[in-house]
Amino acid sequence: QVQLVESGGGLVQAGGSLRLSCAASGRTFSSYVMGWFRQAPGKEREFVAAIRWSYGNIYYIDSVKGRFTISGDNAKNTVYLQMNSLKPEDTAVYYCAAGRPGSESAWYRKPDSYDYWGQGTQVTVSS
């Protein structure tokens, strides 16, 4: 049974940092893309970052470039999202996802490209 379990969310003041973790189990994910998405109340789920372990490709949404860093430990089947200089607009439930690489343009930004999802972890940034 495939499971993705996020942890590390919480309440932080603007300018602070958090590190999210996503522990994956149930299969080998070395050929997969691991992504982070977020969803704020009343908004659609939004792509944040993704990493393709086998090729070392990393992708970010523009609004987090320079502030967030995605990384992974293949041996531990764990992916991380280091979030620095947090802003109130980063407040959302953050989800980890795993999917097979696609062929269409910017496939990694689309939630439908991912096969497995975690339960989410709340990140709240106060002003």
Side-chain angles (χ1 to χ4, degrees):
Q1 181 182 358
V2 173
Q3 273 193 315
L4 302 179
V5 180
E6 302 100 333
S7 61
L11 173 63
V12 65
Q13 288 188 333
S17 299
L18 285 172
R19 188 175 86 151
L20 305 184
S21 299
C22 172
S25 61
R27 66 164 299 136
T28 301
F29 288 93
S30 58
S31 63
Y32 275 59
V33 172
M34 304 298 293
W36 286 99
F37 287 75
R38 64 188 180 187
Q39 189 165 18
K43 294 188 177 181
E44 293 187 351
R45 193 164 294 191
E46 174 186 51
F47 167 77
V48 177
I51 183 168
R52 187 175 177 181
W53 279 333
S54 58
Y55 286 82
N57 300 118
I58 291 177
Y59 312 95
Y60 296 103
I61 191 174
D62 285 348
S63 61
V64 307
K65 285 181 180 177
R67 300 189 298 123
F68 290 12
T69 302
I70 188 171
S71 62
D73 186 332
N74 207 352
K76 295 182 178 180
N77 254 6
T78 300
V79 64
Y80 306 98
L81 186 67
Q82 177 66 43
M83 305 186 296
N84 299 328
S85 302
L86 282 161
K87 304 176 181 180
E89 50 264 43
D90 295 318
T91 295
V93 177
Y94 282 69
Y95 297 91
C96 174
R100 294 180 181 87
S103 57
E104 59 182 295
S105 176
W107 51 268
Y108 50 87
R109 291 177 172 266
K110 302 173 183 177
D112 289 348
S113 297
Y114 294 82
D115 302 308
Y116 306 105
W117 291 85
Q119 81 289 349
T121 185
Q122 177 71 46
V123 171
T124 303
V125 184
S126 62
S127 57

